[in-house]
Amino acid sequence: MDQNGAVVMGMPSTWNDEAGAPLDQTVFRSGFEARKSDIFIAVMGVTGSGKSTFISMLANAGAPVKIGHGLQGCTQLVTPHIYKYSKDVNVYLIDTPGFDDTNRDDANVLKQIAVWLSDSLKNDVKLSGILYMHRITDTRMAGSAKRNLLMFKKLCGNEALKNVILVTTMWERVTAAEGAAREKELIDTDDFWGFMVKNKSRVERHYNNRHSARALVTKFLNEKKVELTIQDEMVRKDRHLDQTDAGRTLDSELAKERDKWKEEAARQKADREEALRQRDEHLAQVLEEERKKSEAKAKDLQKQREMLQFSLEELRRQADEKRQEMLLEQQQRLKDLKDENDKMLLEQQQKLKNENEKQMLKLYEDQKVQLRELQAIRDGDQSARPLVRSHPGKNLIHECRSITLVDDSYFFCGPTVNKSNLPPKVKLRLGNRDFDDTAEHDSRELNGKLETLRVKADALRLKALSLMGYSGGIRAFALGTSDSYYCHYHQDGHCKDVSFLPDYPELARWLANHRQGASGKDQTESGCPRYVSLGANGHFFLATNANNYVRSVAADLNERWWWQYLSDIKAVWLGMDDAWVVQLKNGEKYFDLKGHYGGNDGELANKINSGFGKKRPGQRIKAMALNLANPKSFAAVWGDGGILYGTGGKFDAFTFEEYATKNFGTKFL
C-alpha cells in the first residue's frame, strides 16, 4: 500500500534490504493482505506466446498489464497480478519473462525467477501450479523455444510436473486440423511435451477469451501446493545458482554458444589476414568489424556464466539495485511528462497573444457588451431587478455531460448551457476564456436589431473559440486538487482533451499514451468519457464509451466484491476523505459518504437509495459532484431531470438551478 492507503497493483516484486529478514506478505500479492485461501499460479512461456494477454483478461485491479507486440517482450520483472476469482478467493497470476526475451539475457531472466521463487518459499508462499504457454501457430519448435522449454523443465523438476498445464494459444489463427496436428506432435515428441505429459502434466487449449482463461485457473483451485526443484536447491540446500539443475543447464548452453562465437572470431581473424595479403583493404576492414562483434558476443556470454555464480542473498541485492534503477527511470519519465505539459501550456498562451486572435476576441467582447446594453434597455436595469427564472428547456438528459465542485470553484457542463467559476490558474492555462453561453433569452423575444447582433456575436464567438481550440464543444470537465483539471472536447469531428494533473500522475500517463497512440496530434483514442471524477489523495475514475477504464481508488472501494466486474460499473463519483458513490449499469447504487454531504442518513443518501433497475430510469444518477474541499457542498442530476444539491455556501444555488432548467427542463415553483 502507498502512504495514502491506496493499493498499488501489478507492480514488480520488491525485496527487503536486510538479508534474511521476513518479507512483507503484500509483496507477493500486488499490495493486498494475505489470506489462507490465496492461490498462486505462475505463467511462463516464450516471448509472444500470450502470457500477458492471458493475464490481462483476468487481472481486474491496479495498473493495466503491459502487452508486447512484434518481437519485443514486455515483461521485465517477475510481476504478480491479482484476479478476484470469488468473494473468498484471490488468485495471483505471476507474469514471468521468457528465456528468449529480446531485452534481457537468459542469465538475468533465470536470476529474477530464482530470486522470486526462493523468497516466496521462504515466506511460505507456494505455487498451486504453472501454466506454460505455447503458440499453436508455430510450425516448428525453434531453437529458442526448445531452450526455453528445457529451462522450464529444469526449474520445475519431475515431481512438480503434475502441477503443470501445457497451454496452446492463438487457436483463432489456425484451422482446427492444423492446430490438432501440431498439438499431437507436441504431445508425441519426448523432447517437446511428451516427457512432461508422461509425468502427469496436462494439455489444454486457450481460446483467447475470458471464459477460457477462467476455466484454466479453475483447474488449480483444489490442487495441492507444489515446491519446485530450484526452490529446494537454493533455499533448503543453500546452493548457488550455478549449482542448481537449471543453472548448470544454462551454463552448459552459454558455454557452447560462447565457444561458437570464439571459433567464429578466430575464423574471421584468419580471413582478415588473408585479405590483407591479397591487399583487399575493404574486405579486411569488414572482417575486422565482424571479428570484434563476435568477440564481444563471446565476452557477453562469459559474463552471463559468471553471473550464475552467486548466492541467493547476492542475487537479491542485485535485483533490488535493478528495482531502484527502474524506479528512478519512472520518476524521470514523470518529470519529462510534466515538463512537456508545461511547454504545451506556454505554447497555447503564446498563440493567444497572436495579434489576429486578440483583434477577434476584442471584437467579440465589444459585440457582447452591446448585446447586454440592448437587453438592459429593453428589460430595464437587470442589476436593480430580482433574478427571474428562465423558461424550462428541452430535457436533454440523454446528453448530460458532467459537473464538478472544488471549494467555491465549479463547472456545470451541459449540452445547451455551461456554468462555471474556475480557479484563476485553471483559467490561465485554458486561455482566460469564458466558458458560459452568452445569450440569456430566447432569440424569438429579441427585436430585429438585437437578433442581428446576437447572430453576429455568436458567429464571432465560435470563430474566436475555434482559434482557441475548443470550438467543437466541451463534453466533460473535472476539477481536482492542486488546481488539477481534465477537459474533453470535440473539434473537427475528433475527440480531444487537455489536462493539467500534478496530483494524478497515473491518469496523466494514461492520457499521454493514448494521445501518442492516436492518429492526430493531441488527439485521444480513448473515446468520449461517459463519466470522469477526480478525487482526493490522487484517486480518480474515468470510463469512456470505448469501454476504456482507468482508475485509482481507495482500498475500501477497491476491495468491494463487485469492483472486480469493471464492465458492470456505469459511473464512480469521488469526494473528500475518499467518499464515493458507485452506480452499476443495472441502476444499482452503492456509496460511502464518510459522514459528509449529510452522511448516510441525509437527504442525498436517501435519494441515492431510491429505486434502481431498467424499469425506473428516472431514478438513475446522470451527473454528480461531491465537493473535494467542503463536506456540505454537493450537486446531482437524476434521469427524470430532478436535481438535489447542497451549496455549503460555496456556489450560487440559482446558477445551478438555471443550468438544470435550460439543459434538462427542470421546473421550479
Side-chain angles (χ1 to χ4, degrees):
M1 292 188 181
D2 65 15
Q3 60 184 358
N4 298 316
V7 178
V8 181
M9 310 302 301
M11 295 298 291
S13 299
T14 56
W15 295 272
N16 196 308
D17 290 332
E18 184 181 351
L23 299 180
D24 179 1
Q25 289 296 296
T26 63
V27 163
F28 303 101
R29 295 169 168 83
S30 300
F32 279 97
E33 295 300 323
R35 291 183 181 180
K36 290 184 178 180
S37 59
D38 289 341
I39 301 293
F40 291 84
I41 301 173
V43 184
M44 297 184 174
V46 299
T47 301
S49 59
K51 301 188 296 293
S52 297
T53 300
F54 170 84
I55 293 173
S56 69
M57 291 179 179
L58 298 176
N60 45 25
V65 183
K66 288 187 177 182
I67 300 173
H69 299 283
L71 299 175
Q72 296 295 317
C74 262
T75 303
Q76 293 295 300
L77 292 174
V78 179
T79 308
H81 296 272
I82 186 173
Y83 166 42
K84 293 189 175 181
Y85 183 87
S86 67
K87 184 178 180 181
D88 300 318
V89 177
N90 287 337
V91 175
Y92 294 91
L93 301 168
I94 315 303
D95 197 5
T96 63
F99 284 100
D100 61 337
D101 193 285
T102 52
N103 299 313
R104 311 187 66 193
D105 54 59
D106 287 353
N108 258 314
V109 171
L110 178 59
K111 178 178 70 175
Q112 291 296 337
I113 294 175
V115 170
W116 195 94
L117 288 172
S118 298
D119 280 344
S120 64
L121 182 63
K122 278 188 174 183
N123 287 268
D124 199 31
V125 174
K126 295 184 179 181
L127 298 176
S128 291
I130 303 174
L131 293 170
Y132 185 85
M133 303 289 189
H134 177 81
R135 297 180 296 256
I136 198 65
T137 54
D138 291 354
T139 56
R140 62 185 181 83
M141 183 75 76
S144 59
K146 286 182 180 178
R147 184 164 66 184
N148 198 93
L149 188 60
L150 177 62
M151 292 301 300
F152 174 73
K153 293 177 184 177
K154 296 297 182 180
L155 279 169
C156 296
N158 294 350
E159 184 63 27
L161 290 179
K162 63 180 180 298
N163 287 66
V164 170
I165 295 181
L166 304 165
V167 182
T168 48
T169 62
M170 303 184 186
W171 282 86
E172 69 277 8
R173 300 184 185 181
V174 297
T175 65
E178 288 174 333
R182 291 171 190 169
E183 184 182 54
K184 184 176 184 301
E185 182 182 5
L186 289 170
I187 296 171
D188 292 346
T189 306
D190 280 351
D191 287 343
F192 298 166
W193 288 0
F195 175 80
M196 291 187 287
V197 171
K198 291 175 183 177
N199 281 271
K200 300 183 180 180
S201 294
R202 290 167 285 176
V203 177
E204 299 287 346
R205 300 176 181 181
H206 173 48
Y207 292 104
N208 199 27
N209 58 59
R210 195 171 189 274
H211 175 77
S212 175
R214 180 181 170 87
L216 287 171
V217 168
T218 302
K219 296 181 183 295
F220 289 117
L221 294 186
N222 297 317
E223 287 287 349
K224 184 179 179 181
K225 307 293 185 181
V226 66
E227 185 174 311
L228 306 187
T229 292
I230 196 168
Q231 292 176 307
D232 173 67
E233 291 173 320
M234 296 198 73
V235 177
R236 305 197 188 285
K237 297 176 181 175
D238 196 26
R239 293 179 180 174
H240 286 204
L241 186 57
D242 64 330
Q243 296 170 341
T244 66
D245 286 352
R248 284 195 294 266
T249 299
L250 180 57
D251 182 69
S252 175
E253 293 293 316
L254 293 174
K256 290 177 184 177
E257 195 168 351
R258 179 207 59 187
D259 293 344
K260 182 191 73 173
W261 285 109
K262 276 188 171 182
E263 292 174 3
E264 182 68 10
R267 183 189 63 78
Q268 290 163 344
K269 180 180 180 181
D271 290 345
R272 175 180 177 274
E273 292 173 352
E274 179 62 26
L276 289 173
R277 283 193 293 271
Q278 299 292 330
R279 297 185 179 181
D280 190 338
E281 296 291 341
H282 176 71
L283 178 59
Q285 183 178 353
V286 171
L287 289 168
E288 176 63 13
E289 291 174 356
E290 292 299 316
R291 182 191 66 80
K292 289 179 179 179
K293 291 179 182 179
S294 298
E295 287 185 347
K297 289 180 179 178
K299 289 180 180 179
D300 179 66
L301 290 165
Q302 181 59 32
K303 286 181 180 179
Q304 290 189 52
R305 294 187 66 199
E306 294 169 359
M307 189 183 301
L308 298 174
Q309 301 169 8
F310 286 92
S311 68
L312 178 58
E313 298 306 326
E314 291 170 323
L315 291 173
R316 185 184 293 118
R317 282 194 293 271
Q318 288 182 359
D320 193 56
E321 290 172 1
K322 181 63 176 178
R323 180 187 67 83
Q324 292 293 342
E325 181 183 330
M326 291 180 64
L327 182 60
L328 291 174
E329 290 177 358
Q330 191 175 53
Q331 291 172 343
Q332 183 61 45
R333 284 197 296 270
L334 287 174
K335 181 181 180 299
D336 294 342
L337 183 63
K338 181 181 180 300
D339 292 343
E340 182 181 352
N341 198 33
D342 290 343
K343 181 180 178 182
M344 290 173 60
L345 289 172
L346 289 173
E347 290 176 352
Q348 289 180 0
Q349 293 169 11
Q350 186 62 37
K351 287 180 65 177
L352 288 174
K353 294 178 182 178
N354 182 278
E355 189 61 32
N356 291 332
E357 289 182 348
K358 288 197 297 183
Q359 291 177 1
M360 188 63 67
L361 290 172
K362 184 177 183 303
L363 182 58
Y364 161 60
E365 292 295 337
D366 291 342
Q367 292 285 1
K368 186 167 66 172
V369 170
Q370 293 180 39
L371 178 62
R372 288 174 177 169
E373 288 175 351
L374 285 171
Q375 286 180 287
I377 293 171
R378 195 201 67 170
D379 297 330
D381 187 358
Q382 293 287 343
S383 63
R385 298 177 58 188
L387 294 172
V388 178
R389 296 193 185 282
S390 300
H391 180 75
K394 183 180 179 181
N395 189 339
L396 298 175
I397 199 70
H398 60 286
E399 296 183 40
C400 188
R401 304 287 169 78
S402 65
I403 57 181
T404 184
L405 296 167
V406 178
D407 199 24
D408 60 350
S409 301
Y410 58 85
F411 196 110
F412 304 142
C413 181
T416 300
V417 174
N418 296 333
K419 296 292 183 182
S420 64
N421 178 35
L422 297 177
K425 290 184 179 179
V426 174
K427 289 205 70 172
L428 177 64
R429 290 189 174 95
L430 291 170
N432 282 317
R433 60 164 291 190
D434 182 10
F435 290 91
D436 298 350
D437 287 356
T438 58
E440 296 295 336
H441 295 278
D442 194 310
S443 62
R444 291 172 296 182
E445 299 179 10
L446 300 176
N447 58 36
K449 187 174 182 179
L450 188 61
E451 172 68 8
T452 301
L453 284 171
R454 187 193 68 77
V455 172
K456 289 182 178 179
D458 282 352
L460 289 168
R461 174 175 175 273
L462 288 175
K463 191 168 185 179
L465 298 188
S466 176
L467 292 171
M468 300 174 75
Y470 304 99
S471 63
I474 295 175
R475 300 305 173 98
F477 201 105
L479 292 170
T481 54
S482 301
D483 288 326
S484 297
Y485 70 87
Y486 169 78
C487 177
H488 182 89
Y489 63 101
H490 286 186
Q491 184 184 33
D492 303 327
H494 295 300
C495 290
K496 296 191 174 186
D497 58 35
V498 61
S499 60
F500 176 69
L501 300 165
D503 285 357
Y504 308 89
E506 185 178 348
L507 177 58
R509 184 166 57 253
W510 184 85
L511 291 169
N513 289 338
H514 277 252
R515 291 191 193 104
Q516 292 170 3
S519 58
K521 185 180 180 182
D522 294 332
Q523 178 183 335
T524 174
E525 66 174 1
S526 61
C528 284
R530 295 200 311 266
Y531 294 91
V532 57
S533 180
L534 301 179
N537 301 317
H539 296 144
F540 62 90
F541 178 88
L542 187 148
T544 76
N545 289 329
N547 291 324
N548 286 303
Y549 297 88
V550 57
R551 72 280 181 202
S552 174
V553 297
D556 65 317
L557 175 53
N558 209 25
E559 292 173 357
R560 296 294 175 124
W561 68 267
W562 36 259
W563 187 254
Q564 65 179 300
Y565 304 108
L566 267 180
S567 60
D568 293 335
I569 295 176
K570 182 72 171 178
V572 177
W573 296 280
L574 305 174
M576 67 183 302
D577 293 336
D578 288 327
W580 52 267
V581 177
V582 173
Q583 181 171 254
L584 305 185
K585 289 183 179 178
N586 68 356
E588 190 172 1
K589 309 174 192 72
Y590 300 88
F591 64 93
D592 186 351
L593 300 178
K594 309 294 184 183
H596 304 317
Y597 317 111
N600 289 342
D601 297 319
E603 187 177 6
L604 177 60
N606 292 334
K607 179 64 175 175
I608 292 173
N609 277 325
S610 62
F612 63 89
K614 295 180 179 179
K615 295 182 179 179
R616 304 188 69 181
Q619 296 298 328
R620 298 188 181 217
I621 304 170
K622 289 296 183 177
M624 176 177 286
L626 304 176
N627 199 311
L628 293 181
N630 188 299
K632 297 181 180 180
S633 174
F634 64 90
V637 180
W638 264 260
D640 57 3
I643 64 172
L644 183 66
Y645 63 87
T647 68
K650 292 300 182 180
F651 68 90
D652 180 53
F654 185 85
T655 298
F656 182 66
E657 291 178 1
E658 280 289 275
Y659 161 81
T661 296
K662 293 183 178 182
N663 287 289
F664 315 120
T666 307
K667 299 178 182 179
F668 298 91
L669 298 177

